[in-house]
Amino acid sequence: MKIGIIGLGDIAQKAYLPIITQLPGIQPLFCTRNPDTLIQLSSKYRIEGTCQDYHQLLKMGVDAVMIHAATQVHFDIASFFLKNGIPTFVDKPLADSAQEAELLYTIAEQYNTPLYVGFNRRHIPLYNQFVPELANGTIGKLRSLRWEKHRHALPGDLRTFIFDDFIHPLDSVNLNAQSTIDDVYVTHQMQGGQLARLDVQWQVEETILHASMDRHFGVTTERVSVGYENQSLEFSSFVEGRQWLDNTEQKLVLKDWTPMLTSKGFEAMIKDWIRVVEKGKLSTATADRNLASHQLAEAVYQKIHNQLK
């Protein structure tokens, strides 16, 4: 299977290339506009198929593509390959507006081609092992799910904050594919003209879902709290957590020597993506949630934007 890797920047080098270049039966093709990067990485990973223009990947017989370029160009690149019937993976966010995300899924449906979004937090093995609802993408028996992703001294532009970063915790709790802010409680804090903190919370019957990001937090950290009836779990990292059941505390840990990219969900996500390419189809539930999370992010953006006018 020939997979074109478009964009060979920091995220591709750290999270994707170490995995995709080691998978059996996969032939990566590298594409970047930077000739020095192309030479360096193709030599490092012994990749023969390279180009500087993504259009050339069609002539190279690509079977699928993975887009790791800047968010602003996601739409143009993804729409090109979808219209050519090429299964397409896009790093989150799919686009920096709901309108473009909706149009991309319309194109994907029109050309009957899978469009995959790289939400690696859906695939974190420790979380999915002990919280089956996260593995299944359902509300299940959850009574509460709170996902916090904080940063230190990093307030940001409103749209970039929400779509490039906050969409991670937002999508992670969006197990019911919430797409509007009807009955959704949104609070935020500004620092100067920049967004510093954002909290979004809603309830599905008896289940409370809460996504939180504070960008003037004391330290960069990520925490997940899970509540069942008379059972609680907390994860302070991707490799360990705690469970309280029957007034007893148990430590939850990944197996020793679990690779970092495996613990962060990248390995499982990429293998899931390969299965989608092989089947030639993305499940409707996954596509619906992908789109809903972008629509919800847009609705949150519009609410805050209108308040700031």
Side-chain angles (χ1 to χ4, degrees):
M1 181 188 295
K2 292 183 178 180
I3 298 184
I5 313 296
I6 304 169
L8 300 176
D10 188 55
I11 184 65
Q13 292 183 37
K14 289 193 302 186
Y16 290 95
L17 298 189
I19 299 174
I20 198 72
T21 56
Q22 299 300 315
L23 291 178
I26 303 299
Q27 181 184 348
L29 307 175
F30 284 179
C31 178
T32 179
R33 293 178 297 177
N34 187 317
D36 294 334
T37 300
L38 197 60
I39 292 171
Q40 175 194 350
L41 292 177
S42 61
S43 175
K44 177 180 179 179
Y45 289 105
R46 300 179 181 179
I47 302 299
E48 295 182 0
T50 66
C51 63
Q52 291 180 253
D53 181 349
Y54 66 83
H55 296 88
Q56 296 176 11
L57 289 170
L58 285 184
K59 299 177 182 178
M60 299 168 71
V62 72
D63 297 300
V65 295
M66 300 179 72
I67 300 171
H68 307 297
T71 301
Q72 306 92 283
V73 298
H74 282 183
F75 179 84
D76 289 342
I77 301 175
S79 59
F80 171 78
F81 285 103
L82 290 171
K83 289 177 181 178
N84 280 280
I86 303 297
T88 301
F89 175 111
V90 183
D91 270 337
K92 66 81 203 164
L94 178 57
D96 60 5
S97 73
Q99 292 80 4
E100 287 193 344
E102 291 166 357
L103 184 51
L104 282 174
Y105 266 103
T106 298
I107 295 170
E109 184 176 359
Q110 180 181 354
Y111 288 87
N112 194 29
T113 303
L115 173 58
Y116 196 104
V117 183
F119 286 116
N120 65 293
R121 281 160 179 77
R122 297 184 188 178
H123 303 271
I124 295 173
L126 182 67
Y127 297 2
N128 290 357
Q129 179 182 350
F130 293 100
V131 186
E133 287 82 0
L134 293 179
N136 301 329
T138 59
I139 295 294
K141 296 182 179 180
L142 286 173
R143 291 187 64 81
S144 65
L145 174 62
R146 176 184 173 91
W147 204 296
E148 304 173 42
K149 187 175 187 289
H150 302 316
R151 295 183 179 273
H152 176 67
L154 198 64
D157 165 75
L158 180 59
R159 185 172 286 278
T160 303
F161 182 118
I162 293 174
F163 275 87
D164 274 24
D165 206 0
F166 183 71
I167 200 168
H168 261 316
L170 187 67
D171 174 77
S172 296
V173 303
N174 194 18
L175 301 178
N176 66 313
Q178 180 80 19
S179 61
T180 71
I181 54 172
D182 296 341
D183 300 318
V184 173
Y185 186 52
V186 180
T187 55
H188 72 279
Q189 294 173 333
M190 302 296 294
Q191 189 173 62
Q194 295 184 308
L195 184 60
R197 174 167 181 159
L198 178 57
D199 288 79
V200 178
Q201 179 176 310
W202 68 98
Q203 187 164 341
V204 182
E205 296 182 353
E206 296 301 315
T207 305
I208 297 172
L209 304 169
H210 186 174
S212 176
M213 176 171 282
D214 186 351
R215 286 241 199 141
H216 51 196
F217 204 69
V219 65
T220 297
T221 187
E222 192 158 346
R223 302 183 299 200
V224 178
S225 302
V226 180
Y228 294 100
E229 185 174 349
N230 298 315
Q231 180 188 176
S232 302
L233 302 94
E234 284 189 2
F235 302 94
S236 56
S237 72
F238 299 139
V239 298
E240 64 179 18
R242 293 175 295 173
Q243 179 188 52
W244 293 274
L245 180 64
D246 296 329
N247 283 318
T248 301
E249 178 178 314
Q250 177 184 356
K251 188 175 182 179
L252 311 175
V253 295
L254 272 182
K255 294 179 180 179
D256 287 343
W257 301 101
T258 299
M260 180 184 66
L261 293 178
T262 299
S263 71
K264 291 187 174 184
F266 286 99
E267 182 178 1
M269 178 179 67
I270 291 172
K271 289 181 177 179
D272 182 55
W273 150 244
I274 298 300
R275 288 191 291 270
V276 168
V277 176
E278 290 172 342
K279 292 179 180 178
K281 185 174 179 60
L282 182 70
S283 75
T284 301
T286 300
D288 289 347
R289 180 177 170 189
N290 291 347
L291 186 53
S293 290
H294 287 78
Q295 292 169 328
L296 181 57
E298 181 71 35
V300 170
Y301 166 82
Q302 294 296 340
K303 179 180 177 67
I304 300 174
H305 178 72
N306 291 335
Q307 290 176 356
L308 295 176
K309 286 182 178 180

